[in-house]
Structure formats: structure tokens, C-alpha cells
């Protein structure tokens, strides 16, 4: 079975179609308000595991200098071709395996790692990422991370709810269903494996998706181990996000 990363790299237009179910502008506006009361023109952002770079586009629309980083050349080409991100502002590096290739003097106020992308990182690689962000951070930099709420995630797994998205893409109708079989847990760590079914113009494809589940307490302890502080942002201070997950601010 193909890994889900192949869908992202080979068909970025489908991933973009599936992931447009968010109010990117509202999300970025609330993160910007939370992080700094200063002029957005003075804010530089980096969207980690950016995919099509929709959050970067929203930050740019709000006046920030917005950069993106992802491991897929296909995603970068798609983002640039669609006018979502500028080619010079989109860096390609495979996190956490590669050290990001960015200009050494480029510093950021805000980093984002949303859509549960923290699940691609082990605890050790999260620690490494925080140190890297600290090194490239401006004063009072913040990394915003989306993590699962245990109650919501447990309900999802126990019920084995078949979530789905049906969307129109430039290549036709695309449908995505997950998990289509009972999720499988690793016996040695909090890693879960799920089968994802994607139907593209009537043709069915199956992909395997793996995610390491990190609790807020995991993130807090890892943050403190490198001299950072983490807190859950109150939903009352956010807009555009659902309440079935935690948005965590990590102060670098």
C-alpha cells in the first residue's frame, strides 16, 4: 500500500481540495492577534509542513512577510503555479530528516505546525525542531501547534467513524474516506496506522497514514526540556478553529 505522502507529492491538487475546509484567514488573524499587537508589516512567519501554503497566503494577505517549508517539490510547484506562494519564499526540506535550507540571516516571529502535523515527529525530533526554531527566532518568537484532545480522538477511534470529504478539484471529483479499516496501534509507542481511501473520478486508491499521538503534556514537557514554555490557547481567544483539538503556543 502506498504511503499517504505519495498522494501529497504526486497529486497536490487533491490534497489542496481536501484541506480547504478551514477559514485560513480567520485562523491566521487570531494567531497574529494573540502573538503580537505590533504592525503585521514587522512580522515574519514560517509555515512548517506547509503543503499548498494556504496559511502562508493568509498571513501575507494580513501584511506579514510569509514563508513556507515542506518536503515536497510537487507541493511547491503547485503552490507557486497557483499564485499561493512566491517561489523564493517556499523552501523544500524533508523534516525532520533534513536540516531546513533557509538563508542564515532569516528570522521568524511566528511558526505554525497545524493540521496535526506534529504527528510526523517523534519526541526526539520535536526537541530538535524546537531548538532549530529557537535558533532562527526573533525575540519573543512563538510556534503554534495543533494537537489532539484525548477525549475527541478516543471517541473517533472507538467509534471507528468513517470521516469523509468530497470536493471538486481541477482534475475532477475527489473523495477521501478514513479510516476505512479499524485503526492499528503500535505495540511499542503511541503510533497509529490508518487506511485512507481516495476516489478520483471513480477510480479508487488506498493509502497508509501513520501518526504519532502527542498529548499536550508531552508537548509541554518537551518544550520545558529545551527552555521553552507551552500553554493551551483558550478557544475564546481564537477564531476559525474547531473545538475538537488544542492549539498550543510554544514560547521560544
Amino acid at each position: 500500500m502506498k504511503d499517504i505522502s505519495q498522494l501529497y507529492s504526486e497529486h497536490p491538487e487533491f490534497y489542496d481540495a481536501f484541506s480547504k475546509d478551514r477559514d485560513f484567514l480567520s485562523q491566521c488573524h487570531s494567531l497574529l492577534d494573540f502573538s503580537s499587537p505590533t504592525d503585521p508589516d514587522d512580522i515574519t512567519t514560517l509555515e512548517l509542513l506547509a503543503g499548498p501554503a494556504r496559511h502562508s497566503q493568509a498571513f501575507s494577505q494580513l501584511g506579514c512577510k510569509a514563508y513556507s517549508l515542506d518536503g515536497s517539490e510537487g507541493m511547491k510547484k503547485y503552490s507557486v503555479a497557483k499564485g499561493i506562494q512566491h517561489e523564493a519564499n517556499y523552501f523544500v526540506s524533508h523534516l525532520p530528516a533534513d536540516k531546513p535550507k533557509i538563508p542564515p540571516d532569516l528570522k521568524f516571529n511566528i511558526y505554525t505546525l497545524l493540521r496535526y502535523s506534529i504527528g510526523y515527529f517523534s519526541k526526539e525530533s520535536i526537541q530538535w525542531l524546537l531548538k532549530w526554531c529557537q535558533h532562527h527566532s526573533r525575540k519573543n518568537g512563538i510556534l503554534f501547534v495543533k494537537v489532539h484532545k484525548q477525549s475527541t480522538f478516543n471517541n473517533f477511534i472507538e467509534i471507528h467513524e468513517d470521516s469523509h470529504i468530497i470536493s471538486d478539484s481541477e482534475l475532477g471529483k475527489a473523495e477521501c474516506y478514513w479510516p476505512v479499516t479499524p485503526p492499528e496501534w503500535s505495540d511499542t509507542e503511541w503510533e497509529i496506522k490508518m487506511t485512507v481511501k481516495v476516489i478520483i473520478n471513480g477510480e479508487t486508491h488506498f493509502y497508509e497514514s501513520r501518526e504519532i499521538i502527542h498529548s499536550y503534556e508531552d508537548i509541554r514537557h518537551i518544550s520545558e526540556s529545551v527552555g521553552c514554555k507551552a500553554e493551551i490557547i483558550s478557544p475564546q481567544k481564537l477564531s476559525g478553529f474547531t473545538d475538537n483539538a488544542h492549539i498550543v503556543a510554544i514560547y521560544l
Side-chain angles (χ1 to χ4, degrees):
M1 192 182 304
K2 292 182 178 180
D3 188 83
I4 194 69
S5 61
Q6 290 184 254
L7 174 66
Y8 303 156
S9 59
E10 296 171 3
H11 298 289
E13 64 279 355
F14 292 129
Y15 176 77
D16 192 30
F18 295 146
S19 62
K20 283 183 179 178
D21 58 335
R22 291 170 284 173
D23 187 341
F24 295 97
L25 200 61
S26 291
Q27 289 184 1
C28 291
H29 196 282
S30 62
L31 295 180
L32 196 59
D33 284 347
F34 179 87
S35 63
S36 177
T38 61
D39 189 335
D41 291 342
D42 296 327
I43 301 297
T44 303
T45 68
L46 179 63
E47 182 182 4
L48 300 166
L49 275 62
R54 293 289 181 181
H55 282 104
S56 301
Q57 182 184 46
F59 276 124
S60 181
Q61 291 170 346
L62 292 168
C64 303
K65 301 176 186 69
Y67 293 84
S68 315
L69 189 148
D70 196 90
S72 170
E73 285 283 358
M75 278 292 186
K76 176 178 180 177
K77 290 178 181 178
Y78 174 82
S79 181
V80 172
K82 292 297 178 183
I84 302 169
Q85 179 60 290
H86 301 292
E87 183 171 10
N89 289 16
Y90 200 124
F91 309 116
V92 177
S93 292
H94 294 272
L95 296 180
D98 299 336
K99 182 178 180 180
K101 300 178 179 68
I102 67 169
D105 58 341
L106 187 56
K107 305 291 184 181
F108 306 98
N109 305 88
I110 294 174
Y111 302 84
T112 60
L113 189 59
L114 301 174
R115 197 72 173 185
Y116 304 114
S117 297
I118 195 74
Y120 290 107
F121 293 79
S122 67
K123 289 179 173 57
E124 292 77 16
S125 57
I126 294 173
Q127 190 177 60
W128 170 85
L129 178 66
L130 292 179
K131 291 178 180 178
W132 183 87
C133 289
Q134 286 175 311
H135 182 71
H136 291 276
S137 177
R138 291 182 174 180
K139 184 179 180 181
N140 300 323
I142 301 178
L143 167 63
F144 293 103
V145 177
K146 184 177 182 179
V147 300
H148 290 286
K149 282 184 178 179
Q150 275 88 339
S151 57
T152 304
F153 188 74
N154 285 343
N155 289 339
F156 173 76
I157 296 303
E158 289 175 4
I159 298 172
H160 179 209
E161 180 181 353
D162 192 353
S163 300
H164 65 278
I165 299 174
I166 301 176
S167 182
D168 291 322
S169 76
E170 60 186 48
L171 297 183
K173 183 180 179 181
E175 303 173 52
C176 183
Y177 300 86
W178 76 95
V180 294
T181 58
E184 298 177 27
W185 285 100
S186 165
D187 288 333
T188 57
E189 59 184 338
W190 290 109
E191 181 182 67
I192 192 168
K193 180 173 67 175
M194 294 181 282
T195 301
V196 180
K197 179 171 69 174
V198 176
I199 304 174
I200 302 170
N201 290 325
E203 184 177 342
T204 301
H205 306 265
F206 291 95
Y207 295 90
E208 182 178 277
S209 176
R210 292 177 178 268
E211 182 180 354
I212 300 172
I213 307 303
H214 302 288
S215 69
Y216 163 68
E217 284 298 308
D218 291 333
I219 301 303
R220 185 176 67 83
H221 286 302
I222 296 169
S223 300
E224 291 176 354
S225 75
V226 296
C228 300
K229 177 187 174 185
E231 70 169 341
I232 297 172
I233 305 174
S234 168
Q236 286 72 35
K237 296 182 179 180
L238 297 171
S239 61
F241 293 96
T242 62
D243 62 359
N244 60 359
H246 293 306
I247 303 300
V248 177
I250 301 175
Y251 302 98
L252 303 167

